[in-house]
Amino acid sequence: AMWWCKRMKGVMNLSQVLRRGVASSRARSTAVRKGDARGILSDAARPPPPGSHVKRKAVMVAATGQHHGKTTVTLGMVQALLARNWNIAYQKPVGQQTVPVIDEQTGEELEIDRDVDIFKDMWPQLVGSYSDSSPVAFPPGFTRMVLDDKVQTTDLVEKCKASFERLLAASDYVVVEGTGHVGVGSIIDLNNAQVAAILGLDVVLVVPGGIGVSFDVLATNYALLKLHGVALKGVILNKVEPSKMEQNRIYYKKALDRWGVPLMGIIPSDIELPLLSMKSFAQILNGEFLCGQDKKLRFFHHTRLIVSPNDLMGDTTCDRSIQAHSLVILHTSRIDDLRAIVQQHVVHMAATGEDLAGGIVLFGPDVPGSADIAALDAAGIPTLYIQKQDQDGKGFDLIRKVMNHTHKHHKDDVGRIIRTCDHINAHIDLDAVIA
């Protein structure tokens, strides 16, 4: 517990929590776990009545699953509301993936949700402190601490509510983002539906494109909202195949009409927005840059694994040249292939004046020589190196990791964040979301 306190100082002052009296806190926690869905709400924390001031000044954006697009939608909303010259606050009441930041008021290091770091870095004018924007963040082992009664859900509830009320009082509107699907956090009696109930918020759910499976998952999440007395304000469909936009619009609206819930947006897939950058690959693969770190935000349309000499050089009966915007994965022993890739970039630039904009991931026991690294750097090819012991012998583990990973926003990828915001705002009814 004390280790956790030190790490989270300024976000959750657990030393105070632990001094409040174990007996009374355990009694409150036990009442919650016995099935009282509203047991975590003190009289002061109970939600305001429908149509209250809170409901006119804030909304929670949640999703039916991880990677369904709630952060993407929230980014677009915040950008558009700031463009109206409103004083906007953003809050992630419960966060799971944390990053360290320096508190602007105390100068102390805090652990906050990574999305809060992105929003505050992108828009420094957002209302509120780091600690109010990310009041509860889960370090490793946090769930066990709650279940062992070292941390009490009731104290987390009060922390979330007090932070939200400060943001609400200081801003024109608060955009609240959930975490994962609606049920995430249930293990500590603080899932998204419970948080929305505590704060008195309606919820807009972001769901993936489709009809049958998508709606089935939506229904499951909606049931949990209803269990905690939370209104589903609207639904936004995300990552819809462009050719099926109208079909999704017609049939999803028909299905939602049975609930009296409006469809507030249909966002088509964009082939470039989810593409991974070199920075993402470095994090996923635990790689180090040999060169080209200034191009860490470069992303790729193609991924190619070089396994044998014929993959790139040997067969002259077909074109085996590297496509533009390709990430190439190869073993460090294939030095001739590496040099051939560099040569292709150099020749293409000389002939067309355009960069092939490629990237390379090398794996193996030995780092290439300094001359080869210098040639890669001169050709403008960002290159990562991964130790052989971290992967299989042929690179298939690397391909598997690359293909199975979903793009996450990076705060220094400003251009892509702006493009994401513009894409979102072209396809949602913001006035309906915030009404």
mmCIF file of all heavy atoms in Angstrom, residues 379-395:
data_model
loop_
_atom_site.group_PDB
_atom_site.id
_atom_site.type_symbol
_atom_site.label_atom_id
_atom_site.label_comp_id
_atom_site.label_asym_id
_atom_site.label_seq_id
_atom_site.Cartn_x
_atom_site.Cartn_y
_atom_site.Cartn_z
ATOM 1 N N ALA A 379 20.136 7.741 -46.373
ATOM 2 C CA ALA A 379 19.004 7.478 -47.271
ATOM 3 C C ALA A 379 17.668 7.861 -46.632
ATOM 4 O O ALA A 379 16.618 7.757 -47.277
ATOM 5 C CB ALA A 379 18.982 6.003 -47.664
ATOM 6 N N GLY A 380 17.697 8.286 -45.367
ATOM 7 C CA GLY A 380 16.469 8.707 -44.692
ATOM 8 C C GLY A 380 15.560 7.561 -44.310
ATOM 9 O O GLY A 380 14.332 7.706 -44.334
ATOM 10 N N ILE A 381 16.149 6.408 -43.948
ATOM 11 C CA ILE A 381 15.356 5.224 -43.607
ATOM 12 C C ILE A 381 15.418 4.991 -42.093
ATOM 13 O O ILE A 381 16.462 4.547 -41.578
ATOM 14 C CB ILE A 381 15.871 3.971 -44.330
ATOM 15 C CG1 ILE A 381 15.962 4.214 -45.845
ATOM 16 C CG2 ILE A 381 14.956 2.779 -44.044
ATOM 17 C CD1 ILE A 381 16.614 3.066 -46.611
ATOM 18 N N PRO A 382 14.372 5.287 -41.336
ATOM 19 C CA PRO A 382 14.392 4.986 -39.900
ATOM 20 C C PRO A 382 14.507 3.486 -39.685
ATOM 21 O O PRO A 382 13.813 2.698 -40.328
ATOM 22 C CB PRO A 382 13.049 5.535 -39.403
ATOM 23 C CG PRO A 382 12.170 5.564 -40.616
ATOM 24 C CD PRO A 382 13.084 5.829 -41.781
ATOM 25 N N THR A 383 15.402 3.089 -38.779
ATOM 26 C CA THR A 383 15.714 1.668 -38.612
ATOM 27 C C THR A 383 15.721 1.297 -37.134
ATOM 28 O O THR A 383 16.362 1.970 -36.316
ATOM 29 C CB THR A 383 17.083 1.339 -39.226
ATOM 30 O OG1 THR A 383 17.077 1.730 -40.614
ATOM 31 C CG2 THR A 383 17.377 -0.151 -39.132
ATOM 32 N N LEU A 384 15.009 0.208 -36.811
ATOM 33 C CA LEU A 384 14.978 -0.328 -35.456
ATOM 34 C C LEU A 384 15.787 -1.608 -35.394
ATOM 35 O O LEU A 384 15.861 -2.366 -36.371
ATOM 36 C CB LEU A 384 13.539 -0.650 -35.028
ATOM 37 C CG LEU A 384 12.562 0.499 -34.832
ATOM 38 C CD1 LEU A 384 11.172 -0.052 -34.528
ATOM 39 C CD2 LEU A 384 13.018 1.426 -33.714
ATOM 40 N N TYR A 385 16.365 -1.875 -34.216
ATOM 41 C CA TYR A 385 17.074 -3.127 -33.992
ATOM 42 C C TYR A 385 16.471 -3.843 -32.798
ATOM 43 O O TYR A 385 16.234 -3.253 -31.745
ATOM 44 C CB TYR A 385 18.562 -2.877 -33.754
ATOM 45 C CG TYR A 385 19.316 -4.114 -33.321
ATOM 46 C CD1 TYR A 385 19.488 -5.184 -34.195
ATOM 47 C CD2 TYR A 385 19.839 -4.222 -32.031
ATOM 48 C CE1 TYR A 385 20.164 -6.329 -33.808
ATOM 49 C CE2 TYR A 385 20.525 -5.352 -31.631
ATOM 50 C CZ TYR A 385 20.676 -6.413 -32.522
ATOM 51 O OH TYR A 385 21.336 -7.541 -32.128
ATOM 52 N N ILE A 386 16.206 -5.160 -32.983
ATOM 53 C CA ILE A 386 15.651 -6.000 -31.923
ATOM 54 C C ILE A 386 16.605 -7.150 -31.672
ATOM 55 O O ILE A 386 17.049 -7.822 -32.619
ATOM 56 C CB ILE A 386 14.249 -6.548 -32.288
ATOM 57 C CG1 ILE A 386 13.212 -5.418 -32.288
ATOM 58 C CG2 ILE A 386 13.793 -7.607 -31.309
ATOM 59 C CD1 ILE A 386 13.016 -4.788 -33.606
ATOM 60 N N GLN A 387 16.927 -7.397 -30.411
ATOM 61 C CA GLN A 387 17.805 -8.514 -30.069
ATOM 62 C C GLN A 387 17.197 -9.836 -30.519
ATOM 63 O O GLN A 387 15.999 -10.056 -30.396
ATOM 64 C CB GLN A 387 18.020 -8.558 -28.557
ATOM 65 C CG GLN A 387 18.844 -7.409 -28.014
ATOM 66 C CD GLN A 387 20.328 -7.595 -28.235
ATOM 67 O OE1 GLN A 387 20.779 -8.661 -28.644
ATOM 68 N NE2 GLN A 387 21.096 -6.542 -27.972
ATOM 69 N N LYS A 388 18.028 -10.730 -31.034
ATOM 70 C CA LYS A 388 17.543 -12.013 -31.548
ATOM 71 C C LYS A 388 16.825 -12.820 -30.479
ATOM 72 O O LYS A 388 15.817 -13.482 -30.751
ATOM 73 C CB LYS A 388 18.701 -12.828 -32.110
ATOM 74 C CG LYS A 388 18.264 -14.168 -32.691
ATOM 75 C CD LYS A 388 19.440 -14.947 -33.244
ATOM 76 C CE LYS A 388 18.995 -16.304 -33.803
ATOM 77 N NZ LYS A 388 20.132 -17.076 -34.335
ATOM 78 N N GLN A 389 17.320 -12.766 -29.234
ATOM 79 C CA GLN A 389 16.729 -13.610 -28.200
ATOM 80 C C GLN A 389 15.292 -13.205 -27.872
ATOM 81 O O GLN A 389 14.561 -13.940 -27.229
ATOM 82 C CB GLN A 389 17.564 -13.578 -26.921
ATOM 83 C CG GLN A 389 17.751 -12.194 -26.313
ATOM 84 C CD GLN A 389 19.065 -11.569 -26.720
ATOM 85 O OE1 GLN A 389 19.529 -11.813 -27.830
ATOM 86 N NE2 GLN A 389 19.655 -10.786 -25.827
ATOM 87 N N ASP A 390 14.889 -12.001 -28.314
ATOM 88 C CA ASP A 390 13.522 -11.558 -28.045
ATOM 89 C C ASP A 390 12.531 -12.081 -29.074
ATOM 90 O O ASP A 390 11.330 -11.901 -28.932
ATOM 91 C CB ASP A 390 13.457 -10.023 -28.050
ATOM 92 C CG ASP A 390 14.229 -9.424 -26.880
ATOM 93 O OD1 ASP A 390 14.424 -10.157 -25.899
ATOM 94 O OD2 ASP A 390 14.620 -8.251 -26.964
ATOM 95 N N GLN A 391 13.024 -12.743 -30.148
ATOM 96 C CA GLN A 391 12.144 -13.160 -31.238
ATOM 97 C C GLN A 391 12.550 -14.539 -31.744
ATOM 98 O O GLN A 391 13.581 -15.073 -31.374
ATOM 99 C CB GLN A 391 12.212 -12.141 -32.396
ATOM 100 C CG GLN A 391 11.922 -10.701 -31.990
ATOM 101 C CD GLN A 391 10.537 -10.492 -31.475
ATOM 102 O OE1 GLN A 391 9.614 -11.232 -31.826
ATOM 103 N NE2 GLN A 391 10.354 -9.491 -30.614
ATOM 104 N N ASP A 392 11.716 -15.107 -32.650
ATOM 105 C CA ASP A 392 12.086 -16.366 -33.265
ATOM 106 C C ASP A 392 13.151 -16.117 -34.337
ATOM 107 O O ASP A 392 13.509 -14.983 -34.629
ATOM 108 C CB ASP A 392 10.855 -17.076 -33.845
ATOM 109 C CG ASP A 392 10.206 -16.301 -34.978
ATOM 110 O OD1 ASP A 392 10.939 -15.704 -35.788
ATOM 111 O OD2 ASP A 392 8.967 -16.290 -35.062
ATOM 112 N N GLY A 393 13.635 -17.187 -34.955
ATOM 113 C CA GLY A 393 14.757 -17.062 -35.875
ATOM 114 C C GLY A 393 14.447 -16.442 -37.214
ATOM 115 O O GLY A 393 15.348 -15.973 -37.896
ATOM 116 N N LYS A 394 13.183 -16.436 -37.632
ATOM 117 C CA LYS A 394 12.860 -15.965 -38.977
ATOM 118 C C LYS A 394 12.026 -14.695 -39.014
ATOM 119 O O LYS A 394 11.719 -14.177 -40.082
ATOM 120 C CB LYS A 394 12.120 -17.070 -39.754
ATOM 121 C CG LYS A 394 12.991 -18.304 -40.035
ATOM 122 C CD LYS A 394 12.269 -19.268 -40.938
ATOM 123 C CE LYS A 394 13.137 -20.476 -41.275
ATOM 124 N NZ LYS A 394 14.337 -20.099 -42.038
ATOM 125 N N GLY A 395 11.606 -14.181 -37.875
ATOM 126 C CA GLY A 395 10.876 -12.926 -37.858
ATOM 127 C C GLY A 395 9.373 -13.057 -37.859
ATOM 128 O O GLY A 395 8.656 -12.052 -37.916
#
